[in-house]
Amino acid sequence: MNRYIAILIAALTSAEMQAFQLTPRLVVNINIDQLRTDYIEAFSPLFGTDGFKKLLYQGKVYDAASYSFTPIDRASAISSITTGTSPYHHGIISSTWLDHKTLRPASCVDDIKYFASPAKLQTSTIGDEMKVSSNGTSIVYGLAAYKDAAILSAGHAADNAIWIDENTGKWRTSTYYTPKSEKWLPQSSIVTATKRGNSFNATEYNEHIANMALTVIQARAMGADETPDLLNISLSATAFSQTSTMERVYTQLDKTLGKLISNIEAQSGKDKVLFVITSTGYAQADNRNYTQYRIPTGTFYINRTAKLLNVYLSAIYGPGEYIEAYYHNQIYLNHRLIGQKKATLHDVLSRCQELLSQTAGVSDVFTSKRLLSGNNDIQKLRNGFYPPVSGDITIEIAPGWQLVNEIIPEHYTSSTTFVPFPIIFYGAGIHAERVTTPVTVDQIAPTISKAIKIRAPNACSAAPLF
């Protein structure tokens, strides 16, 4: 009997040791802004063997990925990837929103004390949980072209978040993470003045970020010991200038991914690195001239609508400034005045919804009360709602119509077009597989957490993918 027990214990020990050895030492979490499956397929004949083709043919690929909320932008998407939950919990509804105190637009990572920080991110991230589980010894970084992407992917407890300063063209960090700049961080501009801002195309961003990723891994010896480390990288699949065609963007992106993956594998070992690749899951709608082709369209003026709504409410409840502010497609009411008029917020919201629903170009109107009710029909919009920063009224513009704010100014064309994108896991002993079952991006965080044997982020309730 003792001999059989000894054999069983030895077998269990062997299995545990094998599982430990398969735990990746380095997780490279790559999110690619506006990456689309249809473009990958269209340009695949032009790709090399080390980029997309390696990922698609040797990785575990989930073809039918989506987000559990709407609307989606870079900041809300990245936050959901790293926290494993929706804006309703992590609090990042978009890159910018209206600050209730100042009634001015504010970045989701603006910070008076540190210039920029993850303070507005309300939950823990994968990197945060890695730091906690390792007593601070895991190395965690976030790299991106923009500060919101770098900081939100890095999280609260990261070693650093690094991005390209839009004014100087230099790599920049926040004193929130470290009071002094990394000694190995280049101090010279990597972007000339003529290439800053919107004219700085995605290809150049990606190449610089990939090179910096390799620099960080080497400088910090990431993946060199048995404690897992995490490198979050934000790339782009968008054309920032008219000279950058989508074909050029995707072929260059393929080369960048190939170089990044090959170098990291050579340095750390394929079986010790887990690559995770996905998209931010949206596509910026261009302002097309639908009128020229007799396609239904029109212009919805949010500033004019707000004034009309104020006149309407003044006629009912008495004179006053009932509309405190408006931003994007959201309207913020003056709660103090509503209270002074002895009106209920529910009644005011109902009247606003009734008037706005009859306005041309409006397909639906969602009030804060309606969103908080949790109706399944509007669950995706509710998941993108965060009461402390969202407006009282959200207006859904009809597809093809333009929303215009003449004050900021701001304008964009509404679109509900489906954007196909994958979730890919590659390396660390993962076998090639194509999965067509629909999955959501909030399942990435618990999957990574399971792979490195730590607790999932504290607001994540999604199940691991495998």
Side-chain angles (χ1 to χ4, degrees), residues 79 382 401:
S79 299
R382 178 181 182 271
W401 276 63

Side-chain angles (χ1 to χ4, degrees), residues 28 30 50-52 54-55 210 214 254-268 270 273 275 277 426:
V28 181
I30 305 174
D50 294 329
F52 282 118
K54 178 184 283 188
L55 294 170
L214 297 174
D254 177 65
K255 292 178 182 178
T256 300
L257 284 172
K259 173 184 175 181
L260 188 63
I261 293 169
S262 297
N263 277 276
I264 294 176
E265 284 182 332
Q267 185 170 327
S268 303
K270 181 178 178 180
V273 183
F275 291 92
I277 296 90
Y426 166 78

Side-chain angles (χ1 to χ4, degrees), residues 80-357:
S80 296
I81 292 170
T82 58
T83 64
T85 190
S86 68
Y88 188 79
H89 295 289
H90 64 60
I92 306 299
I93 61 171
S94 64
S95 295
T96 59
W97 59 71
L98 202 71
D99 187 298
H100 282 207
K101 295 180 181 178
T102 65
L103 297 182
R104 293 181 178 180
S107 164
C108 59
V109 292
D110 277 353
D111 190 297
I112 296 175
K113 182 177 180 180
Y114 300 108
F115 167 69
S117 81
K120 295 173 185 174
L121 187 63
Q122 301 298 314
T123 65
S124 70
T125 64
I126 307 167
D128 294 338
E129 295 298 340
M130 288 177 71
K131 283 287 190 181
V132 172
S133 66
S134 66
N135 292 319
T137 58
S138 285
I139 302 170
V140 178
Y141 274 78
L143 302 177
Y146 301 103
K147 62 181 179 181
D148 57 356
I151 289 171
L152 296 172
S153 64
H156 303 274
D159 293 86
N160 216 337
I162 304 173
W163 67 92
I164 302 172
D165 187 277
E166 61 183 354
N167 296 314
T168 66
K170 297 180 180 180
W171 289 108
R172 179 163 187 174
T173 64
S174 169
T175 53
Y176 169 87
Y177 295 103
T178 175
K180 297 181 180 180
S181 178
E182 308 271 16
K183 293 181 179 180
W184 43 263
L185 194 64
Q187 297 301 308
S188 58
S189 294
I190 59 172
V191 187
T192 60
T194 57
K195 293 179 181 177
R196 294 175 197 158
N198 292 334
S199 62
F200 188 59
N201 67 57
T203 303
E204 291 174 284
Y205 273 130
N206 294 339
E207 192 68 20
H208 287 302
I209 293 165
N211 290 335
M212 178 53 65
L214 297 174
T215 298
V216 173
I217 291 173
Q218 185 173 13
R220 293 303 312 272
M222 297 184 76
D225 57 25
E226 298 298 334
T227 303
D229 300 322
L230 173 65
L231 180 59
N232 297 290
I233 303 172
S234 296
L235 301 177
S236 176
T238 61
F240 281 84
S241 66
Q242 294 181 351
T243 58
S244 279
T245 63
M246 295 312 299
E247 177 182 313
R248 181 171 181 266
V249 168
Y250 272 76
T251 53
Q252 289 298 320
L253 177 59
D254 177 65
K255 292 178 182 178
T256 300
L257 284 172
K259 173 184 175 181
L260 188 63
I261 293 169
S262 297
N263 277 276
I264 294 176
E265 284 182 332
Q267 185 170 327
S268 303
K270 181 178 178 180
D271 61 328
K272 297 298 183 182
V273 183
L274 172 62
F275 291 92
V276 185
I277 296 90
T278 195
S279 169
T280 51
Y282 72 101
Q284 290 180 337
D286 53 3
N287 296 309
R288 300 180 180 181
N289 187 1
Y290 282 132
T291 305
Q292 180 181 351
Y293 299 97
R294 295 182 291 185
I295 299 172
T297 185
T299 303
F300 175 85
Y301 295 93
I302 185 69
N303 55 304
R304 300 181 190 181
T305 300
K307 289 181 180 180
L308 176 63
L309 190 58
N310 194 76
V311 171
Y312 174 68
L313 294 176
S314 294
I316 298 173
Y317 301 106
E321 295 296 327
Y322 292 89
I323 308 303
E324 195 165 49
Y326 47 87
Y327 188 64
H328 292 328
N329 64 332
Q330 299 192 6
I331 293 176
Y332 300 75
L333 298 177
N334 188 335
H335 290 222
R336 180 179 296 180
L337 177 61
I338 292 172
Q340 291 173 353
K341 296 292 185 178
K342 307 299 181 182
T344 65
L345 181 61
H346 182 273
D347 183 54
V348 173
L349 288 172
S350 296
R351 291 182 181 274
C352 290
Q353 184 176 6
E354 182 180 0
L355 177 67
L356 292 171
S357 296

